[in-house]
C-alpha cells in the first residue's frame, strides 16, 4: 500500500513532463489526461519488467494482474480499496490504482502518475526476488526500482523528460507522510528514487 497524506504542489521550477514517444496521442498542445498517462505508464512499465525482471535475482517473472483504475471501496483481493491509495496485493498478485489517488497524483504532475504505477509494479517484482535481497520494509527499495524502471525507459528513449534536469525531477517527490510511515521521509524517498533513476534497478540491491 502506498498512501499520500499530503502533498506539495508542483512549483514552476519543477515543471517536468514525461512524454511517451511510442504512444503519443492528440496534438502537441493537448495535455494527456490522467487516464492516458496511466495507460501509457502501465504499458511501458509492464513491458519493461517483462523483459528486465528475469535479469535481476528472480528465476522467473510473472507479471501482476493489472486491475486498473478502480473507485475507492471497490473490493480487491486484499479487501476494499481505501480512499487515496494504490496497491499491490500479494494475495492475488495484482496491482490496482484508486481513481481519487491517481487524480491527486496527476494534479501534482504527470510524472507522479508514472511513479505510482512504477512503484506498485516494483512490489510485484520484489515479491519474486529471493528474500535475501529484499529489504524490510521494502518501500524505499520499491521506490528505487520505480526510479530504475523509469530511468531505463528514459535511457532507452521511451520516455523524455522535458524542461527539467534531474534535480528538478527530484523536487517533485515532496511527499509528506505521517511520522514513522514505512515509506520513509520525502528526502529518503527522493534519494531512493534517484539512485535507481540514475543507475538502473541494480543500484537498488545492496546484497
Ligand atoms: Zn509501496
Amino acid at each position: 500500500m502506498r498512501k499520500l497524506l499530503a502533498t506539495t504542489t508542483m512549483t514552476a521550477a519543477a515543471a517536468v513532463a514525461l512524454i511517451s514517444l511510442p504512444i503519443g496521442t492528440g496534438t502537441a498542445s493537448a495535455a494527456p489526461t490522467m487516464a492516458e498517462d496511466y495507460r501509457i505508464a502501465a504499458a511501458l512499465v509492464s513491458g519493461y519488467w517483462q523483459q528486465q525482471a528475469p535479469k535481476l535475482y528472480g528465476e522467473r517473472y510473472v507479471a501482476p494482474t493489472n486491475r486498473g483504475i478502480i473507485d475507492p471501496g471497490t473490493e480487491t483481493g486484499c479487501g476494499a480499496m481505501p480512499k487515496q491509495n494504490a496497491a499491490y496485493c500479494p494475495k492475488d498478485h495484482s496491482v490496482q490504482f484508486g481513481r481519487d489517488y491517481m487524480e491527486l497524483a496527476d494534479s501534482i504532475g504527470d510524472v507522479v502518475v508514472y511513479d505510482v504505477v512504477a512503484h506498485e509494479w516494483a512490489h510485484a517484482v520484489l515479491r519474486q526476488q529471493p528474500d535475501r535481497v529484499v529489504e524490510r520494509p521494502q518501500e524505499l527499495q520499491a521506490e528505487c526500482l520505480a526510479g530504475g524502471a523509469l530511468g531505463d525507459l528514459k535511457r532507452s528513449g521511451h520516455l523524455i523528460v522535458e524542461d527539467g534536469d534531474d534535480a528538478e525531477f527530484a523536487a517533485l517527490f515532496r511527499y509528506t507522510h505521517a511520522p514513522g510511515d514505512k515509506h520513509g521521509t520525502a528526502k529518503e524517498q527522493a534519494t531512493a528514487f534517484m539512485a535507481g533513476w540514475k543507475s538502473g534497478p541494480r543500484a537498488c540491491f545492496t546484497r
Side-chain angles (χ1 to χ4, degrees), residues 1-2 119-120 123 139 183:
M1 288 282 184
R2 174 190 182 91
H119 178 99
E120 299 308 337
H123 282 302
E139 292 304 336
H183 287 88

Side-chain angles (χ1 to χ4, degrees), residues 7 26 46 49 63 93:
T7 64
S46 175
W49 283 121
H93 190 50

Side-chain angles (χ1 to χ4, degrees), residues 81-100:
M81 185 64 153
K83 289 181 180 174
Q84 295 297 339
N85 243 307
Y88 168 68
C89 175
K91 287 182 186 170
D92 63 0
H93 190 50
S94 68
V95 290
Q96 40 259 303
F97 306 90
R99 186 179 311 282
D100 55 345

Side-chain angles (χ1 to χ4, degrees), residues 28-101:
S29 60
T33 63
M34 177 275 280
E36 285 171 338
D37 283 332
Y38 156 78
R39 181 177 59 79
I40 295 166
L44 289 176
V45 170
S46 175
Y48 173 82
W49 283 121
Q50 198 70 47
Q51 202 174 49
Q52 296 300 320
K55 298 177 185 172
L56 289 174
Y57 301 88
E59 289 163 16
R60 67 189 191 117
Y61 171 73
V62 177
T65 302
N66 183 10
R67 302 201 185 284
I69 295 175
I70 61 175
D71 291 322
T74 301
E75 207 53 43
T76 76
C78 290
M81 185 64 153
K83 289 181 180 174
Q84 295 297 339
N85 243 307
Y88 168 68
C89 175
K91 287 182 186 170
D92 63 0
H93 190 50
S94 68
V95 290
Q96 40 259 303
F97 306 90
R99 186 179 311 282
D100 55 345
Y101 186 76

